[in-house]
């Protein structure tokens, strides 16, 4: 708890900070954990942080003879940041996975020209009027799959013998109400130490929120007005399977986690 303790700046009954706001005989624990405990505030800019990005990127582009075109990409990435001092009073800069890093991302785009109209399997010899009705139709779709964002644990307390790996809940047990296992943590707010020196990382690559899967589709009709002029009528549908995608941090503080 953030209680009062004897001030180390009082030597032989004399305060080294006499006349200052911190010149009393006692100081709070939180003040003594500051980088410069003799000061209540200090101004200045430092540029010691850094960030870097590593990834494996694979792409595929295939055009088939029957009017089908596929274009896919896969990215396996990790974006690392080392920009913030842990708890604000530590001199070391914590290295964590960036909060916007999904880990893995896959996209697949497809366009299929329906086999109707001139030059197609059916109706290849159709007249201009019939070709105007049957030809020029296309269907397309975009599939996007992405991993969840890293969760920042914050001030959670592990129970004796537990590790952060124990917080990973098997996929078969995950629900929108509970995505993580709460058993490894001390959920009693009265045991929370607001100003303890934190030893664990605030974020883990293996502890992530829900990812998302999104499928969009479209249907279009092309009309040939002139040799170099075309008109396209297009209908689009977003999230055609009405799949619910959850996101955002779900582990803010000990008081709200699991409620």
């Amino acid at each position: 708890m953030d209680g009062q303790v004897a001030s180390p700046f009082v030597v032989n009954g004399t305060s080294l900070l006499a006349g200052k706001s911190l010149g009393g005989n006692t100081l709070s624990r939180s003040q003594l954990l500051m980088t410069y405990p003799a000061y209540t505030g200090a101004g200045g800019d430092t540029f010691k942080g850094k960030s870097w990005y590593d990834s494996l990127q694979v792409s595929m582009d295939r055009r088939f003879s029957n009017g089908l075109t596929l274009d896919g990409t896969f990215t396996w990435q990790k974006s690392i940041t080392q920009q913030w001092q842990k708890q604000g009073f530590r001199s070391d800069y914590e290295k964590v996975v960036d909060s916007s890093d999904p880990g893995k991302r896959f996209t697949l785009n497809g366009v299929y020209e329906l086999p109707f109209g001139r030059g197609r399997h059916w109706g290849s010899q159709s007249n201009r009027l019939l070709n105007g009705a049957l030809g020029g139709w296309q269907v397309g779709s975009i599939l996007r799959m992405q991993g969840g964002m890293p969760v920042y644990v914050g001030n959670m307390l592990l129970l004796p013998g537990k590790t952060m790996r124990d917080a990973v809940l098997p996929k078969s047990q995950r629900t929108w109400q509970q995505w993580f296992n709460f058993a490894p943590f001390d959920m009693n707010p009265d045991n929370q130490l607001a100003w303890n020196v934190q030893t664990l990382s605030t974020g883990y690559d293996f502890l992530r929120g829900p990812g998302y899967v999104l499928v969009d589709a479209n249907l279009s009709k092309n009309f040939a007005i002139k040799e170099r002029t075309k008109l396209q009528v297009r209908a689009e549908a977003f999230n055609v399977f009405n799949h619910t995608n959850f996101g955002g941090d779900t582990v803010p503080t000990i008081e709200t986690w699991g409620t």
Side-chain angles (χ1 to χ4, degrees), residues 114 116-118 120 126 130-137 221-223:
L114 298 183
F116 305 107
R118 292 180 182 176
R120 302 299 177 187
S126 59
L130 184 59
N131 181 69
L134 298 179
W137 288 97
K221 175 72 168 72
N222 297 312
F223 297 91

Side-chain angles (χ1 to χ4, degrees), residues 159-212:
L159 293 171
K162 299 295 183 180
T163 69
M164 289 304 302
R165 289 281 181 181
D166 297 320
V168 179
L169 196 65
K171 291 183 178 180
S172 60
Q173 301 178 26
R174 296 175 185 173
T175 67
W176 68 271
Q177 295 173 307
Q178 182 173 343
W179 196 259
F180 304 100
N181 182 19
F182 310 135
F185 300 96
D186 186 344
M187 304 301 293
N188 185 355
D190 295 334
N191 296 335
Q192 183 67 24
L193 299 177
W195 292 99
N196 62 310
V197 177
Q198 187 175 336
T199 58
L200 295 176
S201 175
T202 57
Y204 295 85
D205 181 49
F206 58 82
L207 196 63
R208 293 176 174 269
Y212 77 76

